[in-house]
Amino acid sequence: MGPGTAQPRAHLAQLPEPDIRGEQYDCSWFFFLFCVFLFTLVWLYFAIIILNDLHNFNEFIFRESKLWLDWSLVLLIATAVLISYSSALLVLALCLQLCGQPLKLHWVHKILLILTVLVVAAAFTGLGIKWAEEWKSAHISLQATGPFLHIGAVGGMTLLAWPLASFIYHTRSTGLRVSLLLVYCAAMIALYLAPLGITSPCIMEEKQLPPKPALVGHRGAPMLAPENTLMSLRKAVDCDVQVFETDVMVSADGVPFLMHDEELTRTTNVQAVFPERAALNSTAFNWTDLQQLDAGSWFLEVRKVLRVAGEEWVHFERKPFPTVQSLSPADRQEAAEQKIPSLGQALEAAKESNLSIMFDLRPENHSDYQNFVNITLEVILQSGIPLQQVLWLPDGFREDVKQQAPGVQHVYGRKRLENEKEPILHVNLPYQDMSSEEIRQYRQDNISVNLYVVNQPWLFSVLWCSGVSSVTTNACQVLKEMKHPIWLLPSSTYFVIWIVVDCFSFLIIIWAFVLMK
């Protein structure tokens, strides 16, 4: 062998071997980073959806720990941190790939990514254990967001074609190249066909849209006034609410009054007035005691002032709703003066405003519950309110109520049965418990359906399109202003959007792979 051939071979022998293992290692971490980003993105979606019901969660935490905190802020801040971190890392990784540079993820980021996965997984686990109905809420939300999530997902995956093409053309591993290409193609085909499984009651013609659902004020207008007070009732009337939904308890001396919680600690100053009795059931107090309580100041900025080291002062604030900030000075003064109202006072106010009233009678497991029913009926009959304006929710001793007050409208907290002895005209259920198809069927059968608690416009829009009769809400001031569902699309228009988006995406992907070659 001559010298002329030996030199090139020696030169080739000095070339570095392709670092296929390093490429696969980087690819694995990039894939993990992408999955973490998607995982946190899904959690962000859930966090936005559960905001509709988060006030109930705040109340639950207060009952368990006596600690009031607006957990929506904690939820959104924590979620924003997680999604921002994973997004920033993903963008950096994509830029490195487009520049032909290896990822070389630092070990600190690897640990933080694993911790992010664990935190989000724990959040989902807790959601499934303690708040399982929110999975139904997420399913309903897809009826409002499905078409737009499809467009967003197609757009995001289409943009991913550039770094993917760059990686495929630069990697030396044929198996890795083929695997990534197959996975990407499968994902895009699934996204292109996703609208076949997307359904929404708001995909309809304008002329098919049912009437706007009536509003039922949940304990009045609790974002504008202290719940279950006369001020809250009046604010609900200002919001064009047709029904005032409340909760009734009976005092130790037989006076029905408005109160949701079994204890008085959340919505009154009972700990200051009767500290030794603060943990007692609301029914253990007589009417004279109840009238000594302040039922409004808790709604405002409640400040507990403590002296620290004799000089410094520490302030703690509690605000049940952010809308408190928008109250006028006159409204703040009125709220601070609110007392616990009796059922008789509420009925009188409802009668004057031509407002219907719907209530639960609590606690239903009380040993003297039948007497509570009789006392409550006596107050209703003595009030002079037209009985058709009274919507009766409690199931206990319902037959007695029908006999003593035959004009009262009965609302059932369950779906109708196959062999119903007498027809049900009104049902009151959580919004997660009825599908759009069931709502339409009940509407055709002239059964009034009220769903609770509906605060977010997206949810109200879905239920509006489904044809629900009314919704119970904390946010009557928001839903009052809605003149139309957030969106309404004829099926033909949605079909055109679907085809155009998919075709445009396909052309861009082909262009990306040709351009990066």
Side-chain angles (χ1 to χ4, degrees):
M1 186 177 293
T5 57
Q7 282 184 350
R9 288 188 180 180
H11 176 70
L12 289 174
Q14 293 173 5
L15 289 175
E17 290 293 325
D19 189 9
I20 296 177
R21 189 173 181 179
E23 288 181 353
Q24 292 175 340
Y25 184 75
D26 271 358
C27 183
S28 298
W29 275 106
F30 180 86
F31 180 73
F32 180 70
L33 171 59
F34 184 67
C35 291
V36 172
F37 169 74
L38 291 181
F39 198 32
T40 55
L41 195 63
V42 171
W43 174 250
L44 173 64
Y45 180 82
F46 266 84
I48 293 172
I49 295 306
I50 65 179
L51 286 178
N52 181 82
D53 305 315
L54 210 60
H55 187 70
N56 295 339
F57 181 75
N58 292 344
E59 291 183 2
F60 169 77
I61 294 296
F62 181 84
R63 287 194 297 271
E64 295 296 320
S65 65
K66 304 307 178 187
L67 170 67
W68 182 268
L69 182 64
D70 185 0
W71 289 98
S72 62
L73 294 177
V74 178
L75 177 68
L76 291 178
I77 291 173
T79 303
V81 170
L82 294 178
I83 194 69
S84 298
Y85 173 68
S86 57
S87 300
L89 274 187
L90 182 61
V91 170
L92 179 61
L94 291 174
C95 291
L96 289 173
Q97 181 56 50
L98 285 172
C99 295
Q101 298 297 317
L103 180 58
K104 301 297 181 184
L105 199 62
H106 195 273
W107 65 268
V108 173
H109 290 302
K110 294 175 182 178
I111 293 176
L112 290 176
L113 285 175
I114 293 172
L115 287 176
T116 298
V117 171
L118 294 177
V119 169
V120 176
F124 273 118
T125 302
L127 189 71
I129 294 174
K130 291 294 185 180
W131 216 3
E133 62 268 22
E134 289 306 309
W135 294 109
K136 296 180 182 178
S137 301
H139 181 263
I140 294 171
S141 73
L142 293 177
Q143 299 177 27
T145 61
F148 308 101
L149 289 178
H150 166 248
I151 295 173
V154 169
M157 290 296 289
T158 300
L159 293 176
L160 198 60
W162 268 272
L164 180 66
S166 173
F167 182 83
I168 286 176
Y169 287 135
H170 287 89
T171 184
R172 299 177 179 90
S173 173
T174 303
L176 186 59
R177 182 188 301 123
V178 172
S179 299
L180 286 176
L181 198 57
L182 287 176
V183 170
Y184 183 73
C185 289
M188 291 310 302
I189 291 172
L191 284 175
Y192 287 158
L193 298 179
L196 294 174
I198 293 176
T199 59
S200 173
C202 292
I203 299 178
M204 63 164 61
E205 301 288 340
E206 180 80 31
K207 61 184 179 182
Q208 297 175 314
L209 182 65
K212 181 179 178 179
L215 300 182
V216 177
H218 186 226
R219 309 173 199 169
M223 288 188 174
L224 305 177
E227 67 180 57
N228 283 334
T229 61
L230 296 181
M231 178 184 177
S232 190
L233 186 150
R234 287 192 291 271
K235 288 292 185 180
V237 172
D238 295 340
C239 285
D240 297 335
V241 161
Q242 295 185 15
V243 180
F244 172 56
E245 185 275 340
T246 187
D247 309 274
V248 175
M249 294 196 179
V250 179
S251 68
D253 53 347
V255 178
F257 63 96
L258 307 191
M259 181 60 58
H260 174 267
D261 297 2
E262 292 193 5
E263 295 181 10
L264 299 168
T265 50
R266 181 174 64 88
T267 58
T268 73
N269 63 338
V270 66
Q271 290 175 313
V273 180
F274 303 110
E276 71 286 353
R277 300 167 58 195
L280 295 179
N281 192 286
S282 303
T283 58
F285 293 80
N286 61 43
W287 182 239
T288 302
D289 292 341
L290 292 172
Q291 284 299 281
Q292 297 181 47
L293 300 179
D294 176 350
S297 294
W298 70 275
F299 177 74
L300 305 172
E301 297 176 4
V302 177
R303 296 175 180 264
K304 295 181 180 180
V305 185
L306 302 176
R307 187 181 295 274
V308 179
E311 295 181 359
E312 298 181 14
W313 295 87
V314 179
H315 300 266
F316 297 93
E317 296 185 1
R318 177 177 65 175
K319 306 170 188 174
F321 290 105
T323 46
V324 171
Q325 300 288 356
S326 64
L327 293 183
S328 67
D331 283 341
R332 285 175 173 269
Q333 180 64 30
E334 184 180 0
E337 296 172 352
Q338 292 302 297
K339 298 291 185 180
I340 298 175
S342 67
L343 175 61
Q345 292 170 330
L347 291 170
E348 183 64 29
K351 182 173 66 173
E352 293 176 358
S353 302
N354 195 28
L355 184 71
S356 295
I357 183 168
M358 176 170 67
F359 61 87
D360 264 321
L361 184 57
R362 301 171 181 271
E364 294 192 351
N365 59 352
H366 198 282
S367 58
D368 205 21
Y369 191 73
Q370 185 173 12
N371 187 43
F372 288 178
V373 171
N374 293 331
I375 291 173
T376 302
L377 281 176
E378 183 179 353
V379 171
I380 291 172
L381 294 172
Q382 290 178 352
S383 70
I385 189 173
L387 293 183
Q388 65 268 23
Q389 289 180 223
V390 178
L391 284 72
W392 186 274
L393 276 172
D395 285 326
F397 306 99
R398 193 182 285 275
E399 294 303 318
D400 293 348
V401 176
K402 291 179 180 179
Q403 292 178 7
Q404 296 181 48
V408 166
Q409 297 190 63
H410 287 267
V411 183
Y412 293 81
R414 60 171 175 81
K415 297 179 183 179
R416 61 181 174 181
L417 306 175
E418 290 186 5
N419 301 318
E420 205 71 63
K421 293 182 179 180
E422 55 183 272
I424 288 181
L425 299 179
H426 308 276
V427 296
N428 179 61
L429 294 166
Y431 71 86
Q432 299 100 330
D433 287 0
M434 288 203 81
S435 66
S436 296
E437 293 74 19
E438 289 176 313
I439 293 172
R440 291 194 193 98
Q441 187 59 55
Y442 274 51
R443 185 164 175 263
Q444 290 175 5
D445 297 340
N446 293 319
I447 300 176
S448 173
V449 176
N450 180 69
L451 300 181
Y452 62 89
V453 173
V454 178
N455 300 318
Q456 297 295 324
W458 68 263
L459 179 56
F460 185 65
S461 296
V462 170
L463 299 179
W464 184 346
C465 295
S466 300
V468 74
S469 309
S470 59
V471 299
T472 300
T473 181
N474 291 324
C476 60
Q477 76 282 0
V478 175
L479 304 188
K480 170 192 174 182
E481 300 301 326
M482 292 184 63
K483 309 302 180 187
H484 196 270
I486 292 177
W487 64 270
L488 201 67
L489 279 178
S491 56
S492 57
T493 303
Y494 179 52
F495 179 78
V496 170
I497 294 173
W498 168 24
I499 299 301
V500 169
V501 168
D502 285 3
C503 291
F504 189 61
S505 165
F506 180 75
L507 293 174
I508 291 178
I509 290 173
I510 297 298
W511 181 44
F513 274 84
V514 171
L515 192 66
M516 298 299 293
K517 189 171 182 179

